[in-house]
Amino acid sequence: MATPLTADRLLAALRAEGVTVVEHPGWRTRHRNHKGVWGPVNGVMIHHTVSSGSAASVALCRDGYASLPGPLCHGVIDKAGTVHLISAGRANHAGGGDPAVLARVVAEDYGDRPPAPRAHDGSAGAVDGNARFYGFECVNLGDGKDPWPAAQLEAIERASAAVCRAHGWSARSVIGHAEWSAAKIDPRGFTMPSMRTRVATRLTTTPGSLPKQPSKPSHPAKPTQPGKPTTPRYQPFPGASFFTARPSSPVITAMGRRLVAEGCGAYAVGPGPRWTEADRRSYAAWQRKLGFRGADADGRPGRTSWDALKVPYTAKNP
Ligand SMILES: [Zn+2]
């Protein structure tokens, strides 16, 4: 469960990731929250606009049309790689989709692709994607011939990574509309596995540290080798007793950095390796952010909140 980013945090996350952003008037308060819930959010969805030209595409996505009122996304990504912000709330971009796909996106446990969607907007059992996904509409005719310039693909990568990083998600939280709804084909002209590989690579770096890439062909994700042991991405929960022993461990430092990144840091100095009262207060803020209250938000790490924090893998024996 993740609370949607505020307009300020969304903007800051995009800028920190090196995205060129244009704030269109009214974007902070343009939404469809009166038509349904916005959040908890679980991922990012990529679309193509079936339109051309930045200004016309932004106007289309901002205003929508009679049968589909705007905003139609949060940001429009044009061919020059500029992200045009038009909404910070619920937007009409995803429609209904497959609950099985949502479950796999939440778990971030699929391989190259999530399972093929069997539901679509209006079908029995479809779930409301407009509540659950940030949406980026990318300017392209969607005919499979209209090119995707390198700058535009890089902006898709950066914008997706920005949202993932802000929420502590992996690249598996980024899907295409066609991966959500059996009635959709977008985006067409590049593959989502290749885009997820790019986002995953970016998420291993410090924001903004990757140089701008010249046009480079994208490669599909490498299949993982079966049977080969891999280092886990995240530090497993070390157990409640680990913390009551007032440990000194690099895992505590890594945890503290994640708490700071989530806006929960209560550190005057640090974070450092020794478990302190500042760690406990920071962790309590994280538990409250997750929706825990009372004794469940006492700052003593538990498995659920620890797993949600996604502390990078640091040590085999914490
Ligand atoms: Zn779409």
mmCIF file of all heavy atoms in Angstrom, residues 2-6 10 31-43 74 87-91 93 128-135 167:
data_model
loop_
_atom_site.group_PDB
_atom_site.id
_atom_site.type_symbol
_atom_site.label_atom_id
_atom_site.label_comp_id
_atom_site.label_asym_id
_atom_site.label_seq_id
_atom_site.Cartn_x
_atom_site.Cartn_y
_atom_site.Cartn_z
ATOM 1 N N ALA A 2 0.580 2.136 -0.878
ATOM 2 C CA ALA A 2 1.356 3.378 -0.926
ATOM 3 C C ALA A 2 0.406 4.549 -1.115
ATOM 4 O O ALA A 2 -0.501 4.499 -1.950
ATOM 5 C CB ALA A 2 2.380 3.331 -2.048
ATOM 6 N N THR A 3 0.628 5.571 -0.338
ATOM 7 C CA THR A 3 -0.136 6.803 -0.487
ATOM 8 C C THR A 3 0.374 7.546 -1.715
ATOM 9 O O THR A 3 1.585 7.627 -1.914
ATOM 10 C CB THR A 3 0.059 7.678 0.775
ATOM 11 O OG1 THR A 3 -0.300 6.894 1.917
ATOM 12 C CG2 THR A 3 -0.792 8.925 0.713
ATOM 13 N N PRO A 4 -0.522 8.080 -2.568
ATOM 14 C CA PRO A 4 -0.036 8.811 -3.741
ATOM 15 C C PRO A 4 0.872 9.979 -3.349
ATOM 16 O O PRO A 4 0.664 10.623 -2.324
ATOM 17 C CB PRO A 4 -1.325 9.320 -4.400
ATOM 18 C CG PRO A 4 -2.392 8.394 -3.927
ATOM 19 C CD PRO A 4 -2.002 7.982 -2.534
ATOM 20 N N LEU A 5 1.854 10.233 -4.169
ATOM 21 C CA LEU A 5 2.740 11.380 -3.949
ATOM 22 C C LEU A 5 1.929 12.660 -4.060
ATOM 23 O O LEU A 5 1.044 12.767 -4.916
ATOM 24 C CB LEU A 5 3.848 11.397 -5.006
ATOM 25 C CG LEU A 5 4.797 10.199 -5.042
ATOM 26 C CD1 LEU A 5 5.722 10.315 -6.252
ATOM 27 C CD2 LEU A 5 5.610 10.109 -3.761
ATOM 28 N N THR A 6 2.256 13.632 -3.223
ATOM 29 C CA THR A 6 1.669 14.957 -3.412
ATOM 30 C C THR A 6 2.251 15.559 -4.692
ATOM 31 O O THR A 6 3.270 15.077 -5.209
ATOM 32 C CB THR A 6 2.026 15.883 -2.240
ATOM 33 O OG1 THR A 6 3.468 16.019 -2.216
ATOM 34 C CG2 THR A 6 1.545 15.319 -0.914
ATOM 35 N N LEU A 10 5.864 14.626 -6.304
ATOM 36 C CA LEU A 10 5.956 14.090 -7.669
ATOM 37 C C LEU A 10 6.905 14.953 -8.505
ATOM 38 O O LEU A 10 7.803 14.447 -9.188
ATOM 39 C CB LEU A 10 4.562 14.051 -8.310
ATOM 40 C CG LEU A 10 4.493 13.595 -9.763
ATOM 41 C CD1 LEU A 10 5.049 12.188 -9.953
ATOM 42 C CD2 LEU A 10 3.032 13.661 -10.265
ATOM 43 N N HIS A 31 -8.028 16.831 -11.486
ATOM 44 C CA HIS A 31 -8.107 15.386 -11.232
ATOM 45 C C HIS A 31 -9.566 14.961 -11.308
ATOM 46 O O HIS A 31 -10.460 15.787 -11.504
ATOM 47 C CB HIS A 31 -7.506 15.055 -9.872
ATOM 48 C CG HIS A 31 -8.095 15.836 -8.738
ATOM 49 N ND1 HIS A 31 -9.407 15.699 -8.333
ATOM 50 C CD2 HIS A 31 -7.550 16.806 -7.958
ATOM 51 C CE1 HIS A 31 -9.634 16.523 -7.338
ATOM 52 N NE2 HIS A 31 -8.540 17.214 -7.090
ATOM 53 N N ARG A 32 -9.764 13.682 -11.139
ATOM 54 C CA ARG A 32 -11.122 13.131 -11.132
ATOM 55 C C ARG A 32 -11.399 12.418 -9.807
ATOM 56 O O ARG A 32 -12.103 11.410 -9.759
ATOM 57 C CB ARG A 32 -11.311 12.189 -12.335
ATOM 58 C CG ARG A 32 -11.218 12.956 -13.662
ATOM 59 C CD ARG A 32 -11.438 12.075 -14.865
ATOM 60 N NE ARG A 32 -12.655 11.281 -14.797
ATOM 61 C CZ ARG A 32 -13.884 11.751 -14.958
ATOM 62 N NH1 ARG A 32 -14.080 13.053 -15.205
ATOM 63 N NH2 ARG A 32 -14.922 10.952 -14.877
ATOM 64 N N ASN A 33 -10.855 12.978 -8.732
ATOM 65 C CA ASN A 33 -11.030 12.358 -7.414
ATOM 66 C C ASN A 33 -12.505 12.344 -6.989
ATOM 67 O O ASN A 33 -12.889 11.554 -6.122
ATOM 68 C CB ASN A 33 -10.198 13.090 -6.360
ATOM 69 C CG ASN A 33 -8.707 13.022 -6.640
ATOM 70 O OD1 ASN A 33 -8.295 12.544 -7.692
ATOM 71 N ND2 ASN A 33 -7.902 13.513 -5.719
ATOM 72 N N HIS A 34 -13.323 13.195 -7.620
ATOM 73 C CA HIS A 34 -14.761 13.211 -7.315
ATOM 74 C C HIS A 34 -15.476 12.028 -7.958
ATOM 75 O O HIS A 34 -16.625 11.750 -7.663
ATOM 76 C CB HIS A 34 -15.384 14.521 -7.819
ATOM 77 C CG HIS A 34 -15.117 14.802 -9.267
ATOM 78 N ND1 HIS A 34 -13.843 15.100 -9.746
ATOM 79 C CD2 HIS A 34 -15.924 14.787 -10.348
ATOM 80 C CE1 HIS A 34 -13.904 15.278 -11.058
ATOM 81 N NE2 HIS A 34 -15.142 15.082 -11.445
ATOM 82 N N LYS A 35 -14.786 11.314 -8.847
ATOM 83 C CA LYS A 35 -15.410 10.177 -9.545
ATOM 84 C C LYS A 35 -14.981 8.835 -8.966
ATOM 85 O O LYS A 35 -15.494 7.787 -9.377
ATOM 86 C CB LYS A 35 -15.035 10.222 -11.032
ATOM 87 C CG LYS A 35 -15.701 11.348 -11.790
ATOM 88 C CD LYS A 35 -17.207 11.111 -11.886
ATOM 89 C CE LYS A 35 -17.886 12.187 -12.703
ATOM 90 N NZ LYS A 35 -19.349 11.999 -12.730
ATOM 91 N N GLY A 36 -14.041 8.849 -8.058
ATOM 92 C CA GLY A 36 -13.569 7.586 -7.495
ATOM 93 C C GLY A 36 -12.331 7.838 -6.677
ATOM 94 O O GLY A 36 -11.840 8.968 -6.602
ATOM 95 N N VAL A 37 -11.810 6.782 -6.073
ATOM 96 C CA VAL A 37 -10.664 6.966 -5.194
ATOM 97 C C VAL A 37 -9.386 7.153 -6.010
ATOM 98 O O VAL A 37 -9.292 6.763 -7.173
ATOM 99 C CB VAL A 37 -10.486 5.773 -4.221
ATOM 100 C CG1 VAL A 37 -11.662 5.716 -3.263
ATOM 101 C CG2 VAL A 37 -10.342 4.458 -4.974
ATOM 102 N N TRP A 38 -8.419 7.774 -5.387
ATOM 103 C CA TRP A 38 -7.064 7.902 -5.946
ATOM 104 C C TRP A 38 -6.122 7.322 -4.907
ATOM 105 O O TRP A 38 -5.924 7.903 -3.857
ATOM 106 C CB TRP A 38 -6.757 9.362 -6.266
ATOM 107 C CG TRP A 38 -5.326 9.684 -6.578
ATOM 108 C CD1 TRP A 38 -4.588 10.703 -6.054
ATOM 109 C CD2 TRP A 38 -4.466 9.011 -7.508
ATOM 110 N NE1 TRP A 38 -3.332 10.697 -6.594
ATOM 111 C CE2 TRP A 38 -3.217 9.671 -7.491
ATOM 112 C CE3 TRP A 38 -4.620 7.906 -8.359
ATOM 113 C CZ2 TRP A 38 -2.141 9.258 -8.274
ATOM 114 C CZ3 TRP A 38 -3.552 7.496 -9.137
ATOM 115 C CH2 TRP A 38 -2.331 8.172 -9.091
ATOM 116 N N GLY A 39 -5.654 6.136 -5.193
ATOM 117 C CA GLY A 39 -4.803 5.427 -4.252
ATOM 118 C C GLY A 39 -5.587 4.399 -3.454
ATOM 119 O O GLY A 39 -6.826 4.412 -3.495
ATOM 120 N N PRO A 40 -4.893 3.501 -2.717
ATOM 121 C CA PRO A 40 -3.436 3.411 -2.709
ATOM 122 C C PRO A 40 -2.887 3.078 -4.087
ATOM 123 O O PRO A 40 -3.527 2.398 -4.874
ATOM 124 C CB PRO A 40 -3.145 2.269 -1.721
ATOM 125 C CG PRO A 40 -4.394 1.440 -1.726
ATOM 126 C CD PRO A 40 -5.517 2.419 -1.939
ATOM 127 N N VAL A 41 -1.695 3.606 -4.364
ATOM 128 C CA VAL A 41 -1.107 3.423 -5.683
ATOM 129 C C VAL A 41 -0.143 2.236 -5.682
ATOM 130 O O VAL A 41 0.497 1.944 -4.672
ATOM 131 C CB VAL A 41 -0.376 4.695 -6.162
ATOM 132 C CG1 VAL A 41 -1.370 5.722 -6.667
ATOM 133 C CG2 VAL A 41 0.501 5.275 -5.082
ATOM 134 N N ASN A 42 -0.085 1.575 -6.831
ATOM 135 C CA ASN A 42 0.732 0.360 -6.951
ATOM 136 C C ASN A 42 1.668 0.351 -8.134
ATOM 137 O O ASN A 42 2.458 -0.589 -8.277
ATOM 138 C CB ASN A 42 -0.174 -0.871 -7.047
ATOM 139 C CG ASN A 42 -1.067 -1.022 -5.836
ATOM 140 O OD1 ASN A 42 -2.273 -0.861 -5.930
ATOM 141 N ND2 ASN A 42 -0.472 -1.274 -4.686
ATOM 142 N N GLY A 43 1.577 1.345 -9.036
ATOM 143 C CA GLY A 43 2.469 1.266 -10.181
ATOM 144 C C GLY A 43 2.333 2.435 -11.138
ATOM 145 O O GLY A 43 1.640 3.416 -10.870
ATOM 146 N N HIS A 74 -1.256 11.705 -15.938
ATOM 147 C CA HIS A 74 -0.565 12.666 -15.075
ATOM 148 C C HIS A 74 0.424 13.500 -15.870
ATOM 149 O O HIS A 74 0.515 14.703 -15.686
ATOM 150 C CB HIS A 74 0.129 11.922 -13.925
ATOM 151 C CG HIS A 74 -0.862 11.187 -13.090
ATOM 152 N ND1 HIS A 74 -1.170 9.865 -13.277
ATOM 153 C CD2 HIS A 74 -1.692 11.638 -12.115
ATOM 154 C CE1 HIS A 74 -2.139 9.519 -12.443
ATOM 155 N NE2 HIS A 74 -2.466 10.569 -11.725
ATOM 156 N N SER A 87 -1.834 16.642 -14.320
ATOM 157 C CA SER A 87 -2.685 16.207 -13.199
ATOM 158 C C SER A 87 -1.818 15.649 -12.075
ATOM 159 O O SER A 87 -0.754 15.088 -12.324
ATOM 160 C CB SER A 87 -3.676 15.139 -13.658
ATOM 161 O OG SER A 87 -4.408 14.626 -12.545
ATOM 162 N N ALA A 88 -2.322 15.773 -10.852
ATOM 163 C CA ALA A 88 -1.643 15.178 -9.698
ATOM 164 C C ALA A 88 -2.610 14.293 -8.914
ATOM 165 O O ALA A 88 -2.366 13.974 -7.760
ATOM 166 C CB ALA A 88 -1.078 16.269 -8.796
ATOM 167 N N GLY A 89 -3.710 13.900 -9.555
ATOM 168 C CA GLY A 89 -4.683 13.058 -8.855
ATOM 169 C C GLY A 89 -5.227 11.985 -9.770
ATOM 170 O O GLY A 89 -4.576 11.591 -10.744
ATOM 171 N N ARG A 90 -6.419 11.518 -9.468
ATOM 172 C CA ARG A 90 -7.016 10.449 -10.276
ATOM 173 C C ARG A 90 -7.200 10.923 -11.723
ATOM 174 O O ARG A 90 -7.727 12.010 -11.968
ATOM 175 C CB ARG A 90 -8.369 10.073 -9.666
ATOM 176 C CG ARG A 90 -9.101 8.976 -10.400
ATOM 177 C CD ARG A 90 -10.485 8.751 -9.752
ATOM 178 N NE ARG A 90 -11.294 7.886 -10.568
ATOM 179 C CZ ARG A 90 -11.309 6.545 -10.473
ATOM 180 N NH1 ARG A 90 -10.559 5.952 -9.575
ATOM 181 N NH2 ARG A 90 -12.072 5.832 -11.279
ATOM 182 N N ALA A 91 -6.737 10.108 -12.660
ATOM 183 C CA ALA A 91 -6.837 10.462 -14.084
ATOM 184 C C ALA A 91 -7.429 9.282 -14.854
ATOM 185 O O ALA A 91 -7.306 8.115 -14.462
ATOM 186 C CB ALA A 91 -5.459 10.820 -14.637
ATOM 187 N N HIS A 93 -6.918 7.154 -17.327
ATOM 188 C CA HIS A 93 -5.970 6.590 -18.295
ATOM 189 C C HIS A 93 -5.968 5.071 -18.346
ATOM 190 O O HIS A 93 -5.787 4.484 -19.407
ATOM 191 C CB HIS A 93 -4.539 7.077 -17.988
ATOM 192 C CG HIS A 93 -3.965 6.528 -16.720
ATOM 193 N ND1 HIS A 93 -3.117 5.449 -16.706
ATOM 194 C CD2 HIS A 93 -4.134 6.899 -15.420
ATOM 195 C CE1 HIS A 93 -2.778 5.185 -15.446
ATOM 196 N NE2 HIS A 93 -3.370 6.047 -14.650
ATOM 197 N N ASP A 128 -10.317 -1.271 -10.920
ATOM 198 C CA ASP A 128 -10.168 0.127 -11.330
ATOM 199 C C ASP A 128 -8.691 0.540 -11.348
ATOM 200 O O ASP A 128 -8.107 0.784 -10.302
ATOM 201 C CB ASP A 128 -10.971 0.985 -10.349
ATOM 202 C CG ASP A 128 -10.785 2.472 -10.553
ATOM 203 O OD1 ASP A 128 -10.311 2.878 -11.637
ATOM 204 O OD2 ASP A 128 -11.138 3.237 -9.631
ATOM 205 N N GLY A 129 -8.126 0.609 -12.540
ATOM 206 C CA GLY A 129 -6.719 0.987 -12.656
ATOM 207 C C GLY A 129 -6.474 2.466 -12.432
ATOM 208 O O GLY A 129 -5.351 2.864 -12.105
ATOM 209 N N ASN A 130 -7.511 3.281 -12.606
ATOM 210 C CA ASN A 130 -7.310 4.722 -12.432
ATOM 211 C C ASN A 130 -7.001 5.089 -10.979
ATOM 212 O O ASN A 130 -6.417 6.124 -10.713
ATOM 213 C CB ASN A 130 -8.542 5.498 -12.908
ATOM 214 C CG ASN A 130 -8.757 5.352 -14.397
ATOM 215 O OD1 ASN A 130 -7.818 5.135 -15.149
ATOM 216 N ND2 ASN A 130 -10.015 5.436 -14.829
ATOM 217 N N ALA A 131 -7.418 4.207 -10.061
ATOM 218 C CA ALA A 131 -7.105 4.437 -8.649
ATOM 219 C C ALA A 131 -5.684 4.013 -8.321
ATOM 220 O O ALA A 131 -5.089 4.512 -7.369
ATOM 221 C CB ALA A 131 -8.082 3.657 -7.766
ATOM 222 N N ARG A 132 -5.126 3.084 -9.108
ATOM 223 C CA ARG A 132 -3.925 2.363 -8.698
ATOM 224 C C ARG A 132 -2.646 2.742 -9.428
ATOM 225 O O ARG A 132 -1.563 2.354 -8.987
ATOM 226 C CB ARG A 132 -4.149 0.853 -8.906
ATOM 227 C CG ARG A 132 -5.345 0.303 -8.191
ATOM 228 C CD ARG A 132 -5.284 0.589 -6.689
ATOM 229 N NE ARG A 132 -6.161 -0.301 -5.962
ATOM 230 C CZ ARG A 132 -5.761 -1.394 -5.313
ATOM 231 N NH1 ARG A 132 -4.499 -1.713 -5.288
ATOM 232 N NH2 ARG A 132 -6.628 -2.141 -4.681
ATOM 233 N N PHE A 133 -2.777 3.434 -10.575
ATOM 234 C CA PHE A 133 -1.595 3.675 -11.401
ATOM 235 C C PHE A 133 -1.415 5.158 -11.726
ATOM 236 O O PHE A 133 -2.375 5.853 -12.047
ATOM 237 C CB PHE A 133 -1.693 2.906 -12.734
ATOM 238 C CG PHE A 133 -1.530 1.420 -12.586
ATOM 239 C CD1 PHE A 133 -2.630 0.611 -12.333
ATOM 240 C CD2 PHE A 133 -0.273 0.834 -12.675
ATOM 241 C CE1 PHE A 133 -2.484 -0.763 -12.187
ATOM 242 C CE2 PHE A 133 -0.116 -0.538 -12.529
ATOM 243 C CZ PHE A 133 -1.222 -1.340 -12.284
ATOM 244 N N TYR A 134 -0.168 5.592 -11.665
ATOM 245 C CA TYR A 134 0.232 6.839 -12.316
ATOM 246 C C TYR A 134 0.237 6.556 -13.821
ATOM 247 O O TYR A 134 0.601 5.450 -14.238
ATOM 248 C CB TYR A 134 1.631 7.250 -11.894
ATOM 249 C CG TYR A 134 1.798 7.551 -10.432
ATOM 250 C CD1 TYR A 134 2.127 6.543 -9.531
ATOM 251 C CD2 TYR A 134 1.640 8.850 -9.947
ATOM 252 C CE1 TYR A 134 2.287 6.812 -8.176
ATOM 253 C CE2 TYR A 134 1.805 9.129 -8.588
ATOM 254 C CZ TYR A 134 2.127 8.110 -7.716
ATOM 255 O OH TYR A 134 2.291 8.375 -6.378
ATOM 256 N N GLY A 135 -0.137 7.548 -14.622
ATOM 257 C CA GLY A 135 -0.177 7.332 -16.064
ATOM 258 C C GLY A 135 0.650 8.339 -16.830
ATOM 259 O O GLY A 135 0.574 9.550 -16.558
ATOM 260 N N HIS A 167 8.669 5.706 -4.333
ATOM 261 C CA HIS A 167 7.843 4.767 -3.566
ATOM 262 C C HIS A 167 8.621 3.540 -3.093
ATOM 263 O O HIS A 167 8.056 2.705 -2.385
ATOM 264 C CB HIS A 167 6.669 4.293 -4.422
ATOM 265 C CG HIS A 167 5.558 5.294 -4.539
ATOM 266 N ND1 HIS A 167 4.817 5.696 -3.457
ATOM 267 C CD2 HIS A 167 5.071 5.982 -5.607
ATOM 268 C CE1 HIS A 167 3.900 6.575 -3.853
ATOM 269 N NE2 HIS A 167 4.038 6.775 -5.150
#
